[in-house]
């Protein structure tokens, strides 16, 4: 993820060999970035199935889902989704094996009204993830008393 220009770069790396030899395969733009607030790309997360990558865009309050071509190692935009809050910062997948469901949790921060139009609470937005289509659907938002900076999950 290139935060300033809002792009994602895919690399090929031989994990069984020289870990310092990276081959750049592709750079994909996330789309329009609002440079007036200097808030471009944020976080990337790979789906549990390995077929998708989700990138956050703070300047447009979106999550972009890329489909990964496993053979070529390249990315193509599969879908875009409003982040259900402002300035998505960090996000992580959680797969509920018992229910057969995959979820994406995204942290969102408050921006002052003069920068975004309306103040929204700090929150964690929860999305259902359709692994067949590469689509996120907002499920619920959980208000937080403190700005969430990062989210992760531990196995039981």
């Amino acid at each position: 993820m290139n935060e300033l220009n809002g792009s994602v770069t895919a690399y090929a790396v031989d994990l069984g060999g020289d870990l310092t030899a990276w081959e750049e395969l592709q750079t994909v733009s996330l789309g329009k970035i609002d440079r007036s607030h200097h808030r471009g790309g944020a976080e990337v997360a790979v789906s549990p199935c390995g077929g998708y990558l989700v990138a956050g865009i703070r300047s447009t309050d979106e999550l972009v889902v890329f489909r990964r071509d496993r053979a070529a190692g390249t990315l193509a935009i599969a879908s875009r989704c409003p982040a259900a809050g402002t300035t998505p910062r960090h996000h992580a997948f959680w797969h509920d094996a018992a229910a057969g469901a995959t979820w994406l949790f995204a942290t969102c921060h408050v921006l002052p009204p003069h920068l975004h139009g309306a103040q929204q609470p700090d929150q964690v937005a929860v999305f259902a993830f359709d692994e067949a289509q590469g689509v996120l659907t907002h499920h619920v938002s959980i208000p937080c008393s403190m700005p969430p900076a990062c989210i992760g999950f531990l196995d039981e």
Side-chain angles (χ1 to χ4, degrees), residues 6 10 37 39 41 56 64 68 79 81 115 128 133 135 139 146 153 156:
H37 298 124
R39 299 175 289 128
V64 179
R68 191 184 104 186
S79 65
C81 177
L115 291 180
Q133 301 297 316
V135 173
H139 179 67
M146 298 292 292
F153 300 97
E156 290 185 28

Side-chain angles (χ1 to χ4, degrees), residues 36-47:
S36 65
H37 298 124
H38 304 288
R39 299 175 289 128
E43 173 74 18
V44 294
V46 177
S47 65

Side-chain angles (χ1 to χ4, degrees), residues 94-112:
W94 177 62
H95 181 71
D96 181 350
T102 300
W103 303 93
L104 182 88
F105 291 72
T107 64
C108 297
H109 293 282
V110 167
L111 277 182

Side-chain angles (χ1 to χ4, degrees), residues 45 48 90-96 102-107 124-127 142 150-156:
H90 186 263
H91 47 270
F93 279 100
W94 177 62
H95 181 71
D96 181 350
T102 300
W103 303 93
L104 182 88
F105 291 72
T107 64
V124 174
V126 183
F127 298 86
I142 305 162
C150 184
I151 193 162
F153 300 97
L154 298 173
D155 290 332
E156 290 185 28

Side-chain angles (χ1 to χ4, degrees), residues 41-73:
E43 173 74 18
V44 294
V46 177
S47 65
C49 69
Y52 297 93
L53 178 135
V54 176
I57 309 175
R58 291 190 304 257
S59 64
T60 59
D61 303 331
E62 288 181 289
L63 299 169
V64 179
V65 180
F66 291 91
R67 180 173 282 111
R68 191 184 104 186
D69 180 322
R70 292 176 189 256

